[in-house]
Amino acid sequence: MAKPRKQSVKSRIALAAREHFGQDVARITAPGGEGRSSFRLHLTDRTVIATLRPNFRRTHLEAHVLTELAAYCSDLPECLGVVGDIMFQSDVGKRRLNVEIDRVSPDRQVDLAAEAVAAIFRIHAAARRTRLHDMLPHLGSSVEWVTGHVDSIDFLEDLGGISGAFDRFAACERLAWPARQFVKWDCRSGNAAIGADDRLRWFDFEYAGMRHGAEDFAWLIGDEAWPLSAEQMVDIMIDAYDTGTGIPLPEYLDYLAVYLTFHCVQRLKLIVKEAEKRGWKSKDRIRRLDDAGLHPDFAVHLCEVGGYFAERSAITEPLARNFHAAAQGFREMS
């Protein structure tokens, strides 16, 4: 029953593209898989991306964000227009960062990571020159959200118990940051690509909003398929840091450490839940489909990242042992 619906969606997109661009679509492919919201349209003179979100409002919000940022930044797709609930945007490239970074040398991996981090800082700086802060939603702003984010650590309680030295209130207080900085959200490496001009650009801005800013880097560093170590990423963050954030670097890194500690738990919960349902998958398949990191090695990496950043803040240091224990368990699986 699903196939006719997908054909219908592609037909709608093709008709909208013909209306908008004034030319027929030679073919339509699905770069992220048939179940995703974006499609690559092969026109006579170029390829473009058509995005049809399940939520009409998110499509228009994303189009507005791209349009506003484009005036000050070129590290993202260009919005080419919206027809009904379909947004057209420029094609930023077929070489997704999550796949490309696994194919290159260690030195090139560091270069790509630095490019990805610098691009996020430039996007943040561009947003500060717009009025997006007046209309974007404040993400994770409720007490319930912050409390739930911190309480996720209970997922690791069976691994040595949660230390009595861990102060949940202090962790919640640290993460209850005023929403002052634009964040793209979901900066996993599968949401960046390298174009024919060898320029790295970020895409998929449907969940954009306002928060601290470090959350975008937490998504990247806490991407289980990301091959660079936590130590390498901290060095890259220090080198690329934009003082325009208005936050001293040590304070920024401390917030990142606390937030990333719990972000890693959230990703671990997702991996375990999905692995129980679908089993472990190959690393190549995970990267190709931009899927959750359903491989023990990816879980080990995530635990190592979580443990490293937990140790970097006095608030989360008591939790480091839980990550180290979890890492050992996944190593035995691997």
Side-chain angles (χ1 to χ4, degrees), residues 4-177:
R5 184 187 67 81
K6 290 176 183 174
Q7 291 296 328
S8 175
V9 168
K10 288 185 177 181
S11 296
R12 283 181 55 202
I13 290 174
L15 288 171
R18 186 180 301 117
E19 172 189 337
H20 189 68
F21 296 105
Q23 57 179 287
D24 289 334
V25 178
R27 61 193 176 98
I28 299 178
T29 55
E34 291 290 342
R36 301 295 176 90
S37 300
S38 293
F39 298 85
R40 177 172 281 116
L41 310 186
H42 299 258
L43 306 178
T44 56
D45 60 344
R46 57 180 162 161
T47 60
V48 301
I49 301 297
T51 302
L52 176 59
R53 304 286 186 198
N55 186 307
F56 175 88
R57 179 183 174 279
R58 287 197 181 278
T59 299
H60 284 258
L61 177 69
E62 184 173 17
H64 181 70
V65 167
L66 293 181
T67 300
E68 290 293 304
L69 292 176
Y72 307 103
C73 184
S74 58
D75 297 287
L76 62 162
E78 177 188 356
C79 177
L80 303 176
V82 179
V83 177
D85 55 355
I86 300 170
M87 180 184 70
F88 297 106
Q89 57 186 303
S90 60
D91 188 349
V92 296
K94 295 182 179 179
R95 291 182 288 161
R96 286 202 173 194
L97 178 59
N98 62 332
V99 175
E100 185 73 8
I101 201 164
D102 186 54
R103 295 174 173 173
V104 298
S105 68
D107 286 346
R108 179 56 181 153
Q109 286 183 341
V110 172
D111 289 341
L112 282 174
E115 290 174 25
V117 167
I120 294 172
F121 274 127
R122 286 194 295 268
I123 291 169
H124 288 184
R128 292 195 293 271
R129 301 178 66 183
T130 71
R131 303 296 297 179
L132 287 172
H133 57 274
D134 288 334
M135 51 82 62
L136 286 178
H138 291 189
L139 305 178
S141 59
S142 69
V143 173
E144 292 78 13
W145 190 93
V146 173
T147 302
H149 198 61
V150 170
D151 285 346
S152 66
I153 194 63
D154 291 337
F155 180 72
L156 300 181
E157 185 170 13
D158 290 343
L159 300 169
I162 303 301
S163 171
F166 171 55
D167 186 340
R168 291 176 191 256
F169 177 78
C172 289
E173 190 174 53
R174 189 73 180 95
L175 297 183
W177 188 270

Side-chain angles (χ1 to χ4, degrees), residues 55-324:
N55 186 307
F56 175 88
R57 179 183 174 279
R58 287 197 181 278
T59 299
H60 284 258
L61 177 69
E62 184 173 17
H64 181 70
V65 167
L66 293 181
T67 300
E68 290 293 304
L69 292 176
Y72 307 103
C73 184
S74 58
D75 297 287
L76 62 162
E78 177 188 356
C79 177
L80 303 176
V82 179
V83 177
D85 55 355
I86 300 170
M87 180 184 70
F88 297 106
Q89 57 186 303
S90 60
D91 188 349
V92 296
K94 295 182 179 179
R95 291 182 288 161
R96 286 202 173 194
L97 178 59
N98 62 332
V99 175
E100 185 73 8
I101 201 164
D102 186 54
R103 295 174 173 173
V104 298
S105 68
D107 286 346
R108 179 56 181 153
Q109 286 183 341
V110 172
D111 289 341
L112 282 174
E115 290 174 25
V117 167
I120 294 172
F121 274 127
R122 286 194 295 268
I123 291 169
H124 288 184
R128 292 195 293 271
R129 301 178 66 183
T130 71
R131 303 296 297 179
L132 287 172
H133 57 274
D134 288 334
M135 51 82 62
L136 286 178
H138 291 189
L139 305 178
S141 59
S142 69
V143 173
E144 292 78 13
W145 190 93
V146 173
T147 302
H149 198 61
V150 170
D151 285 346
S152 66
I153 194 63
D154 291 337
F155 180 72
L156 300 181
E157 185 170 13
D158 290 343
L159 300 169
I162 303 301
S163 171
F166 171 55
D167 186 340
R168 291 176 191 256
F169 177 78
C172 289
E173 190 174 53
R174 189 73 180 95
L175 297 183
W177 188 270
R180 296 172 181 165
Q181 172 61 57
F182 171 90
V183 285
K184 173 195 174 293
W185 212 249
D186 198 5
C187 283
R188 292 173 302 113
S189 55
N191 286 331
I194 301 163
D197 59 356
D198 287 329
R199 177 75 178 273
L200 184 150
R201 294 178 177 86
W202 287 96
F203 60 87
D204 196 355
F205 284 73
E206 70 165 317
Y207 294 112
M210 304 295 296
R211 216 175 190 282
H212 177 281
E215 294 86 358
D216 279 349
F217 300 104
W219 276 97
L220 177 61
I221 301 169
D223 178 352
E224 57 272 13
W226 191 240
L228 280 81
S229 70
E231 294 92 335
Q232 288 175 300
M233 292 306 298
V234 168
D235 288 342
I236 289 170
M237 287 287 298
I238 292 172
D239 289 342
Y241 189 63
D242 179 6
T243 56
T245 63
I247 304 171
L249 176 59
E251 183 179 340
Y252 196 97
L253 292 178
D254 182 78
Y255 177 93
L256 174 65
V258 176
Y259 186 89
L260 190 43
T261 297
F262 301 105
H263 180 84
C264 287
V265 180
Q266 298 282 10
R267 295 302 298 178
L268 280 171
K269 289 175 64 177
L270 175 65
I271 289 172
V272 171
K273 177 182 176 182
E274 291 298 308
E276 289 174 348
K277 290 195 302 185
R278 300 190 279 141
W280 298 111
K281 306 296 180 184
S282 74
K283 295 179 183 179
D284 287 343
R285 180 185 185 279
I286 291 166
R287 289 193 174 95
R288 178 168 46 84
L289 298 179
D290 189 26
D291 200 355
L294 306 184
H295 192 286
D297 288 350
F298 287 160
V300 169
H301 175 73
L302 197 55
C303 291
E304 290 173 344
V305 171
Y308 175 87
F309 279 97
E311 290 172 346
R312 289 184 67 86
S313 174
I315 292 175
T316 51
E317 194 278 332
L319 305 174
R321 68 179 189 180
N322 299 95
F323 286 100
H324 297 325

